[in-house]
Amino acid sequence: MELIVRKWGNSLGIRLPRTVTNSLKIQDGATLDLKLIDDTISIKKNDNSLNLKDLLSKINKENLHEEYNFGDSVGLEE
């Protein structure tokens, strides 16, 4: 697929065709990773989706906070 590079402010930009963005489910505001390898540009969808297992694996003694008392229950909390 051939794309045209256009001036965009002080930078240069390309437009991603709808067939590509639909296929990769990329929407306005999505984050992409760009790598330059020799004379090749590689653009990859950045899948920064967080999951509980990954987040919990980052907890350690240095960043674990103590419990905080928010006061007595005011509803149906147990």
Side-chain angles (χ1 to χ4, degrees), residues 29-66:
T31 304
L32 303 175
D33 286 325
L34 184 140
K35 289 184 182 179
L36 180 60
I37 303 167
D38 297 325
D39 63 346
T40 301
I41 296 172
S42 170
I43 301 174
K44 180 180 175 185
K45 181 180 176 183
N46 186 346
D47 189 15
N48 275 344
S49 57
L50 300 175
N51 65 57
L52 184 58
K53 183 178 179 182
D54 290 340
L55 293 173
L56 291 175
S57 72
K58 296 178 182 183
I59 296 175
N60 58 46
K61 289 181 182 180
E62 287 76 38
N63 64 18
L64 182 63
H65 60 82
E66 296 178 13

Side-chain angles (χ1 to χ4, degrees), residues 11-22:
S11 302
L12 297 176
I14 59 171
R15 289 181 180 226
L16 300 175
R18 182 176 294 221
T19 54
V20 171
T21 58
N22 284 350

